[in-house]
Amino acid sequence: MKLDQYRLTEEPAYHASGNEVAFYEAAYEARLPVMLKGPTGCGKTRFVEHMAWKLGKPLITVSCHEDMTASDLVGRFLLGPEGTHWQDGPLTLAVRYGAICYLDEIVEARQDTTVVIHSLTDDRRILPLEKKGELVHAHPDFQLVISYNPGYQSVLKDLKESTKQRFCAMDFTYPAAGIETAIVASESGVAPDVAGRLVRIAEKSRHLRGQGLEEGASTRMLIHAGRLMRSGMSLTDACRLALILPITDDPDMRDALEAAVDACA
Ligand code: ADP
């Protein structure tokens, strides 16, 4: 009942690239925590949504950020008309009632926030609510999933070794051209040949990674470009809005990306 709002009612479309569905099912069966590694916009969130739907489990997603405190995850006392009462945070809800909890971009959170997951991700499967003086034993259905973008890491912003070693990890990258074309076509509604051109442009931008671009164009960006084209925009304009301007301010890099678009237009 508590988790009804977190149940997925429709199947989130997911195009698999390999054995990831079977691997995840095995990890869930063993109730092992999972780390999804890969660049932003390559399908990690969609994959977790699809798996939660497939396994018939509720999914509680938390986007981590640097101001997030442990209380934002586990809960806090709130002041109401009848005094103070405890309100479970998203992690505690998932632990108590049995959901998959997805902590998106975990490295954005401060390390003192991240340590609350330690006792949940070993054999104990417990969550201490220190302020409340309660020890919550995880529901059998509970599982923790985190996402992690290895490309952005600096020494200051990395997961502690003791955190990393608690997880099984799965590598995600942009899907192969044929699969990515099918994704862009079905998610944005453009014809497959147009989707194929967008994917070729993205591939060129991904080759510029490390030469002035932090990341190439993601699958998410290609879908945005496709949607702009469905609204009547030309390929050139749609790519400028959705693929080029968001990722670089450097005039030479913009020229290089525009040349890549022109070559596929
Ligand atoms: P991430 O979590 O890695 O940042 P998302 O899962 O949000 O990325 O992916 C961005 C968008 O790309 C999704 O909303 C979805 O439309 C699309 N997408 C990416 N990969 C897939 C896939 N394998 N199957 C279906 N859609 C996908």
Side-chain angles (χ1 to χ4, degrees):
M1 283 282 279
K2 281 265 185 197
L3 295 183
D4 278 354
Q5 59 172 314
Y6 298 105
R7 286 188 187 280
L8 293 125
T9 48
E10 277 173 38
E11 177 177 359
Y14 181 73
H15 297 251
S17 283
N19 291 332
E20 67 269 33
V21 170
F23 286 0
Y24 188 99
E25 281 175 334
Y28 186 79
E29 180 69 27
R31 296 302 186 274
L32 289 172
V34 171
M35 178 192 311
L36 307 179
K37 305 178 87 164
T40 183
C42 75
K44 301 183 296 296
T45 304
R46 177 61 68 90
F47 174 68
V48 184
E49 289 169 351
H50 179 78
M51 292 313 300
W53 176 85
K54 197 161 191 278
L55 295 164
K57 305 298 172 204
L59 174 67
I60 300 184
T61 299
V62 182
S63 296
C64 301
H65 55 84
E66 59 190 9
D67 293 330
M68 194 169 86
T69 63
S71 300
D72 292 326
L73 281 180
V74 300
R76 50 170 56 90
F77 282 105
L78 295 177
L79 193 57
E82 282 144 38
T84 55
H85 65 278
W86 175 262
Q87 188 176 54
D88 281 342
L91 179 62
T92 309
L93 273 181
V95 173
R96 216 188 271 285
Y97 302 106
I100 294 172
C101 185
Y102 177 48
L103 304 180
D104 195 8
E105 294 288 352
I106 181 99
V107 284
E108 292 300 329
R110 292 199 319 253
Q111 291 193 340
D112 55 331
T113 306
T114 331
V115 293
V116 304
I117 64 180
H118 279 195
S119 57
L120 276 173
T121 45
D122 56 33
D123 287 348
R124 293 172 288 168
R125 281 178 53 96
I126 50 170
L127 178 64
L129 306 179
E130 277 165 22
K131 288 191 182 143
K132 191 168 181 254
E134 184 188 348
L135 201 59
V136 186
H137 290 266
H139 186 285
D141 289 352
F142 168 76
Q143 188 201 25
L144 188 68
V145 183
I146 62 176
S147 76
Y148 172 85
N149 181 346
Y152 290 161
Q153 300 333 308
S154 68
V155 186
L156 284 176
K157 230 186 193 188
D158 197 1
L159 282 181
K160 282 158 96 102
E161 202 58 32
S162 57
T163 307
K164 281 184 192 169
Q165 294 205 4
R166 289 158 192 275
F167 288 84
C168 294
M170 295 168 69
D171 265 339
F172 276 70
T173 178
Y174 306 115
I179 298 172
E180 195 169 30
T181 301
I183 294 169
V184 174
S186 63
E187 294 281 316
S188 73
V190 295
D193 66 309
V194 177
R197 276 192 279 160
L198 290 170
V199 169
R200 279 202 298 283
I201 294 166
E203 283 172 345
K204 291 188 177 171
S205 80
R206 290 167 194 165
H207 287 136
L208 295 170
R209 185 168 173 242
Q211 301 170 37
L213 267 196
E214 251 185 72
E215 294 274 354
S218 64
T219 311
R220 179 189 291 123
M221 295 180 124
L222 301 185
I223 295 165
H224 290 170
R227 288 193 184 144
L228 291 173
M229 291 178 76
R230 289 279 295 161
S231 306
M233 210 176 257
S234 69
L235 180 105
T236 311
D237 288 342
C239 287
R240 194 171 157 75
L241 250 75
L243 304 186
I244 302 176
L245 300 196
I247 55 173
T248 181
D249 296 317
D250 178 76
D252 292 339
M253 188 52 72
R254 286 184 173 187
D255 287 348
L257 290 169
E258 269 167 18
V261 173
D262 287 343
C264 299

